[in-house]
Structures are given as structure tokens and as C-alpha cells.
Amino acid sequence: MIIVMKQGTTEEQVREIAALVEKLGFTPHLSRGEVRTIIGVVGAKDKSTAQQMFASMETVESVIPILKPFKLASTEMHREPTVVDVDGEKIGGGKISIIAGPCSVESEEQILRIARGIKECGGRLLRGGAYKPRTSPYAFQGLEEEGLRFLRQAKDETGLKIVTEIVAIGDTDLLAEYADMIQIGARNCQNYALIKAVGQTKKPVLLKRGMATTVKEFLQAAEYILSEGNPNVVLCERGIRTFEDSTRNTLDLNAVALMKRWTHLPVLVDPSHGTGVRELVIPMSRASIAAGADGLLVEVHDRPEEAFSDGPQSLKLHNFAECIREVAKIAAVMGRSM
Ligand code: PEP
Ligand code: MN
């Protein structure tokens, strides 16, 4: 439930109510708007008695139950769009963000070449996998810590912010040291132990939707991270499994429009995994922004024919430049800035 405080309540009065929430065995989450402060009350216990009690308090304007299974992620709790700060790069809140890079970090030269190319195109966020969750145990699994060091070098040289994937709880501290934003891949979207561990770091998190995860399940996965005290969550639609086999996945743009209504968290789209086909990435990038997405995650490789993973869906650098130009046109129509 949400406790809406009366206009003009003091910090002290808000603290008093929050302390009472805690005393009753719930967790308070404060949200200070321009006019009013609201306190989200979350916890597994029955809230009916507490609800009546808070409703009768002098400093409380009203008490509203949150009906959605995801509480902190919901627009009921937090009306203003959340803006996530990735080492100075803001994601969400009217701006279109583009995260780009190769599926895997393959070598020092490869990631530096691609980082320079992305920077030249105007990119600001570089993504590359150092730990890869591959379907086959015989496929390239990533350069691991060495890959993280190459990403750090790319950041030092270009200033691009680093996004990279975590696959094991034991790597959390290491990833938090190297990454500006930690990606949770589709295969780990509902790996609750892992997402809780990342929630405890307070690092920005890029949470990708699982390939068979419903929107409600996806938002509850985000809720795990928020409820650990990490508010910096960015969601990413990356296509779901359907009967359609002409494309790698089916990009679910319904989910994008729906999530923009249901949650205040920024929503990105990954048209690379969503389609699996290079030629479809730009059209679906345009469609994603038109559907209301806050940005894109796209795979970019300067030599996709040599890529260790996901070459066929990777944009070449000149395609990436075109993608940015095309997206800028749609962004302008949507009243968003780049
Ligand atoms: C990736 O981002 O390269 C990746 C493995 O994607 P997903 O987790 O969406 O399959
Ligand atoms: Mn990939």
C-alpha cells in the first residue's frame, strides 16, 4: 500500500510514520514528489489493520492499496519516470539512450576498434560480454576477467561507459568494480539469487526479459532488485519465444507500450536478439522508439563475419551510424531528445 502524506508535512513527521511502518514489520520506501511525500509500504504480512491505522493518522492524507504484484516498480508507487545515472549518462526521462557493442569482447584490439567506431558515431555507452551465457558448452564462453580489463581500457581511451553481463553470483564484486552498469541476461532474468546479489550492489542494472517470461513476471524480477535497495534498474525487451521460426525471437513491442504504462523504470529494446537478422535491426529500432522505448541495446561489430558470437545480427559500423540517424528522426516525432 501507499501512504500519501498531507501537503506540508515535515521531515520529522515523515520519519515518524516510516518508523511506525518498520515497527509493524514492513519496509518503508520514501518517495518525495514536488508537492507530496509518499511512503510505499511493502512486506509479506497482511496490511489491512495497518491500513486502517495509518488512514486515521493526522499527517496522512490517504492510504491506497497497490494492486499490482510488483509494488516498487509500479507507476502506482512512483509516478515520475525514473532516470538511471550510469556514471553520468542518464537513461530514461525523455531522452533516447543507445547502448552498443559486440556480443562478446574477443580481444584487446577488437574491443578498442569497435569502441572507437561507436564513439565516432556518437555513441556513449559500450556493451560487450566478458562472461557469456552460451546455449552450448562448446561455444565461446568469454575472456572473463581479461575481457573486463579490455573494457576498462576502452573506457579509459574513449570515455564510453561500460555495460557488461554477470553470469555468476561469485563475480558480483568483480563486475561492480569494472562495470558502470551490470547486465542480467535473458537466461538469468528469474535467477533470483543472482538478481538479489546485484540488487545489493546499488550499481545500475540492465535487466533483460527472459525468453519465456511474462511482463508481470519480468516486473517482479525487477522488484527483487528494487526491494534489495537498488533503485537503478533499466528494463530491456529482447524478444520472446513463439511459434515463429523465421526470426530468432519475436520482438514483443506490446510489452514495451504496456510497461511504459505499468512501470516508471526506463525500458530499452534489443532488436538484435529480438530479430537475429541484421537487416531487421534498423526497422525494429525505429518501431521500438515509436512504441515508446527509452532507447536501444544493439549489437555492433566492425567485422561481423569474424565475430565469435552473434555476427549475423550485428550491425556494421556504417549501419550503426544509419541506425542513430533513423532513430533520431523518430525521436523527434515522439518529442524525445537523443
Ligand atoms: C546478449 O545480450 O548478448 C545476450 C546473450 O542476450 P540475451 O541474454 O537477451 O539472450
Ligand atoms: Mn549476443
Side-chain angles (χ1 to χ4, degrees), residues 71-116:
K71 313 287 178 191
L72 303 174
S74 133
T75 39
E76 295 172 63
M77 165 71 197
H78 195 291
R79 286 187 199 286
E80 297 303 311
T82 285
V83 176
V84 173
D85 187 322
V86 181
D87 192 28
E89 267 312 309
K90 307 271 200 301
I91 302 185
K95 198 168 149 261
I96 299 296
S97 303
I98 302 185
I99 304 176
C103 183
S104 308
V105 178
E106 299 164 7
S107 67
E108 182 183 339
E109 300 71 42
Q110 175 251 18
I111 196 66
L112 287 174
R113 276 195 327 262
I114 297 173
R116 288 177 197 130

Side-chain angles (χ1 to χ4, degrees), residues 101-104 127 132 134 165 183 187 208 248 270 272-273 299 309-311 313-314:
C103 183
S104 308
R127 196 211 61 147
K132 296 302 300 177
R134 304 304 299 282
E165 179 165 357
Q183 173 178 325
R187 288 156 192 79
K208 298 188 81 176
R248 182 173 177 180
D270 169 358
S272 306
H273 293 84
E299 288 190 336
S309 57
D310 289 347
Q313 69 191 29
S314 298

Side-chain angles (χ1 to χ4, degrees), residues 96-100 117-125 160 281-283 285-286 289 296 298 300 315-332 337-338:
I96 299 296
S97 303
I98 302 185
I99 304 176
I118 286 172
K119 169 92 179 176
E120 251 172 58
C121 295
R124 291 190 286 263
L125 295 136
L160 295 174
V281 171
I282 292 180
S285 296
R286 287 193 297 250
I289 302 307
L296 302 169
V298 280
V300 175
L315 293 180
K316 298 178 185 174
L317 284 165
H318 70 92
N319 305 132
F320 179 55
E322 186 189 347
C323 183
I324 293 189
R325 285 195 299 272
E326 290 291 297
V327 162
K329 290 186 209 163
I330 306 291
S337 61
M338 292 288 286

Side-chain angles (χ1 to χ4, degrees), residues 127-199:
R127 196 211 61 147
Y131 296 84
K132 296 302 300 177
R134 304 304 299 282
T135 302
S136 164
Y138 309 118
F140 177 62
Q141 305 283 314
L143 296 179
E144 304 183 341
E145 194 170 345
E146 190 182 34
L148 296 177
R149 283 198 293 273
F150 296 156
L151 284 166
R152 165 72 54 82
Q153 263 176 269
K155 178 178 182 179
D156 289 345
E157 189 189 310
T158 61
L160 295 174
K161 313 302 178 193
I162 300 302
V163 184
T164 194
E165 179 165 357
I166 187 166
V167 297
I169 296 185
D171 298 334
T172 310
D173 291 343
L174 187 65
L175 266 282
E177 186 190 326
Y178 281 94
D180 298 308
M181 178 176 227
I182 298 178
Q183 173 178 325
I184 309 265
R187 288 156 192 79
N188 281 311
C189 177
Q190 290 176 291
N191 179 342
Y192 299 120
L194 181 65
I195 62 180
K196 276 168 79 170
V198 171

